[in-house]
Amino acid sequence: NAQPNAAAFHSSAVCYKQVFVGTVVSDKPQKTVVVSVIKVSTHPFYKIMVKKRRKYMAHDELDTFKLGDRVVIEQWQPLSKRKCWMVTGYADREKEALLGPERKAKIA
């Protein structure tokens, strides 16, 4: 009867959020951007590189990200029917260094 405590087992489990880098392809909805993420993988039979593109709707609280920006998105709790991603910052270090602290201060 030496069963481990279920609560202790589940609390020690680590949940990793998915993080992707993509390009903003639309910023028309309010507080939302559409980010296109390209994943490159090898075809299992033909052994050639295959590009797969998927679009994600991500939350942008301050509407700071514009069309063409390279951004980092992170998996988040569901915010609406199709939106369960949050834009965490720019993928370019120069833009993030210039605008990142200012944006984080406004959100907090």
Side-chain angles (χ1 to χ4, degrees):
N1 275 355
Q3 294 180 354
N5 186 357
F9 176 74
H10 290 294
S11 65
S12 65
V14 178
C15 180
Y16 294 101
K17 295 181 179 180
Q18 287 185 321
V19 177
F20 294 131
V21 175
T23 306
V24 176
V25 293
S26 174
D27 60 350
K28 292 186 179 185
Q30 291 182 353
K31 296 189 178 184
T32 303
V33 291
V34 180
V35 180
S36 176
V37 176
I38 297 175
K39 299 177 188 175
V40 180
S41 62
T42 305
H43 192 279
F45 182 75
Y46 294 111
K47 308 296 186 218
I48 59 172
M49 301 306 283
V50 178
K51 288 184 182 179
K52 295 181 182 178
R53 183 180 70 103
R54 179 152 183 214
K55 295 195 292 186
Y56 297 95
M57 293 187 74
H59 186 67
D60 176 17
E61 182 67 32
L62 302 175
D63 283 330
T64 55
F65 302 100
K66 300 300 175 197
L67 190 67
D69 289 343
R70 299 238 334 129
V71 295
V72 179
I73 59 173
E74 180 180 292
Q75 197 171 19
W76 205 256
Q77 64 187 11
L79 298 166
S80 67
K81 181 179 177 181
R82 295 179 53 209
K83 190 165 66 167
C84 58
W85 296 86
M86 178 76 71
V87 181
T88 57
Y90 288 100
D92 301 327
R93 291 182 181 174
E94 293 83 21
K95 277 190 174 181
E96 186 63 29
L98 290 174
L99 303 173
E102 177 184 323
R103 186 182 68 250
K104 290 178 183 175
K106 287 182 181 177
I107 293 174

